[in-house]
Amino acid sequence: MTAVLEVNNVTKMFGKFQALNGVKFKLNKGEVLGFIGPNGAGKSTTIRILLGMLKADFGNAKIFGKDVWTDAVDIHKRIAYVPGDVNLWPNLTGGEVIDLFLSMRGVKVNKQRKENLMKRFEFDPTKKCRAYSKGNRQKVALISAFAADADLYILDEPTSGLDPLQERVFQECVQEVKEKGASVLLSSHILSEVERLCDQVAIIRQGSIVEAGSLEDLRHLTRIQINLRTREEASKLVEQDWVHDLTYENGTYIFQLDADHMDDLIRFIQPHGVVKLESAPAKLEDLFMRHYETTEGGV
Amino acid sequence: MAMHAHAQTGRLFRFLLKKEWLKLTIWLIGSLFFVFIGVFAFTEVYGDAAERQAMAIAMSNPAMEALFGRAIGLDNYTVGAMYSHTMTVMALSLFALLSILLVVRNTRAEEEDGILEMLRALPTGRLSHTISALLYLVLTNVLITVLSTALIFSIGDPSMTFEGALLTGMIYGTAGLFFGAVALLMAQLSSNGRGAMMLSFGILGVSYMLRIIGDSGTEVLSWISPLGLLYGTEPFVNNYWWPVLVALGITALIVILALYLQHRRDIGAGLLPEKAGKRHASALLKTTIGFALRLLKTPLIVWLIALLMLGVSYGSVINDVEGMLANNEIIEQIIMSNPDLNIVDQFISMIIGVLSIAATIPALQALLRLKGEEKKNRTEKIITGNRSRIKILGVFLGISLVTSIVMQLAQLVAFGGAMLAMDADLSFGSLFESGIAYLPAMWVMIGGAVVLIGWLPKFTGLIWAYLGFAFTVLYFADLFDMPEWLTGISPYYHIPEIPTDEWSWTVTLLSTGLAIVLAIVGLIGYQRRDING
Ligand SMILES: Nc1ncnc2c1ncn2[C@@H]1O[C@H](COP(=O)(O)OP(=O)(O)O)[C@@H](O)[C@H]1O
Ligand SMILES: [Mg+2]
């Protein structure tokens, strides 16, 4: 598979503060990459480097095989960008700004498609930007991004101001461009969104990538919540190193299981006479929280 | 790569015009009106050569030269020379200001707002946004040059030759270009629009100061100052062109440097380090008064300096008043209400009236800041805290009253001090009496503003109309024979004009009483009405 986007050991300092430290990941054609991490981790900084707005101190990044700093204009002809915080000119209407952005991308615009998007997002393009709420300003950027085809979509927390219904519309849009073969870099806070949309995930913390891979692979690294009731006592569970946070209440064991030890668990509990076994699927959130806790705790 | 630095500049420029055309039109009309008033007033009021010559003598003292620039063309003080001498520095500063605002608004301010980020993510060059702002700067100043030239040449008198008019237009446009370029450079140094603006204004201020010092002796400093340099063209007197070329050359260098810095730097970054703010609020900031003072500190300091300068400049011309008036009927009529009295005394009492109205502006501004905060939805956070509405409005009212007193006293000291320095014969006592007599009238205005804040918060702007009206009455009541019932609406009109009139306790007590009643009515309204944000 060809890499649309490649980030190689990118480091960025703001004065003495190291915002990025050897960031490295890549995105293949036709894939959706979830770029997640807590506030201040360096997501936006990475994305601004990818857009040629900040210059990396070390390392390099390439999009479509071109250098992001020197070939910015060429690259930008084939991408669409949506920032999390959209500010616009107060005295122009949303419709005017959308048209400006589209005209500058130099792509063919399908008017029908644009109108359609406005309808789906329930967006009124005739108001001045000063009257728009945060969500509405974000819609201006989203509509300009999705109203014309791009090879790569770079989305930096693009749904932070949308309500749940419009977030649905956004997810459909991502699905649609993915089906057309475009690639998407989606930085997000909303893990359910990433779980639903992304094939690949890169987790960044304090300027470094702490986990990267396909969602499937990562699920194996995570833990599953288990509710277990057995006829005989199974107190030896606590001694297994793939069992965590075990509690016993009203005859039910509740614990976290390392996702790749399901097999061991079944073998272990079978002799005790299983009455009930419930498992909640691995959540990206758990994975995320685990990284959050370990680094926070300094482990 | 460099080839791509300006990709799609044309499209951005067209778009910029689309969002700016209204502002551009308003600014151009305002600027041309300023030029028009100057030329028109001089051709109409000073049509007579003898009057102009008297004026020339009045203008050639150190204080006036500091204010307006070195006196030029004195041996033949034509209308053109007079316009050049007295209006140039002010006009240059105005156009410089206009261009600074224009550049910062369209470059760093948009970058700070995150608008530039959206544009840079599109296939636009790294410099396109800046270059389109530069094109706009050039367009604006070319228009200013062409229109000013045409206006001056068409309505000026014969002494205003085409060459002089063109040179005048050129220095106006050049001042704009120069300070626009400075603002662009400052926009590279500071990481925010406010900082870029402050630095640029600072440079403009330093240019002004250099010119003042230069024009009062050390001549070389005037030539270092861009304002002094362009003033040195002496349109209608000597028509020197070389300063324009020098200024344009330096402008080009500044632009190149700014573009170079812009091309290299990260988006959002400034070359000057930013100071970290305070981690904790000081004990003072946590009190209502401390908080209000923090909001008002900068504008009040600026006003204090401005009023001090106003006081000094009026004070320093006092000895020349008689010469300056030189039987000029229009001006005489504005000042004189009684032909039997000493004209200098009447001039002084008129000036004190003008100063009093000027000092009312910061006092009202301090009070209306509370309304401004409400409009920005910030008062609710204070009021939902443990502070009562009465206390909050009371604090702003108190600051407003103190402001009126401090400003009035400060400018009286400046006015009187300058007069003493010019060896004018005056009594400091009667000067202060005259100024203090106006305080109750200023308080009536403040009381009126409290009523508006309390009962008609949407119409607080009316107080400015009222103040404007009071100014008109003061200036033109005698000229236009305004009827008594109309002039009486202005609280300033009732104040006795000391030294020609006597101090009146009746007026003082009645005005103060009215101010107190208004303030109480306003406070009651504020207590009862909805707070809108
Ligand atoms: N221009 C800048 N100057 C100094 N520090 C910055 C700048 N931009 C970002 N940072 C810092 O870099 C870190 C990463 O920020 P960012 O990339 O915006 O995080 P995220 O998008 O993941 O929330 C934060 O600690 C932020 O304060
Ligand atoms: Mg961010």
Side-chain angles (χ1 to χ4, degrees), chain A residues 14 17 19 37-46 48 156-157 204, chain B residues 267-268:
Chain A
F14 291 119
F17 175 75
N39 270 332
K43 301 182 295 294
S44 299
T45 305
T46 308
R48 290 203 177 104
D156 189 1
E157 304 195 21
I204 185 170
Chain B
I267 197 168

Side-chain angles (χ1 to χ4, degrees), chain B residues 438-457:
Chain B
Y438 274 100
L439 282 175
M442 296 162 74
W443 296 339
V444 171
M445 298 303 287
I446 294 173
V450 178
V451 170
L452 288 174
I453 290 179
W455 294 93
L456 296 168

Side-chain angles (χ1 to χ4, degrees), chain A residues 235-268:
Chain A
S235 50
K236 281 250 162 74
L237 265 178
V238 75
E239 290 165 19
Q240 312 305 316
D241 54 8
W242 30 266
V243 169
H244 308 272
D245 305 335
L246 181 81
T247 57
Y248 182 71
E249 258 175 54
N250 306 328
T252 304
Y253 296 97
I254 302 172
F255 57 91
Q256 307 278 321
L257 171 72
D258 282 341
D260 46 355
H261 286 271
M262 185 59 99
D263 209 27
D264 295 327
L265 176 69
I266 302 285
R267 227 172 294 142
F268 180 86

Side-chain angles (χ1 to χ4, degrees), chain B residues 27 36 125 138 245 250 254 303 326 377 387 412 455 523:
Chain B
W27 270 107
F36 171 80
V138 172
L245 299 179
I250 297 173
I254 296 176
W303 268 104
N377 291 332
R387 293 160 204 190
L412 286 172
W455 294 93
L523 281 164

Side-chain angles (χ1 to χ4, degrees), chain B residues 91-147:
Chain B
L92 294 180
S93 309
L94 173 76
F95 293 119
L97 191 82
L98 187 161
S99 286
I100 289 173
L101 293 173
L102 177 154
V103 166
V104 174
R105 183 172 71 234
N106 285 291
T107 57
R108 182 52 90 167
E110 290 201 338
E111 182 168 347
E112 193 186 357
D113 283 347
I115 291 179
L116 179 60
E117 177 171 334
M118 300 282 295
L119 293 174
R120 283 273 292 275
L122 296 162
T124 62
R126 195 160 291 145
L127 294 178
S128 306
H129 182 253
T130 305
I131 296 177
S132 88
L134 271 177
L135 289 178
Y136 178 50
L137 175 72
V138 172
L139 173 74
T140 304
N141 285 297
V142 166
L143 284 174
I144 286 174
T145 300
V146 170
L147 296 174

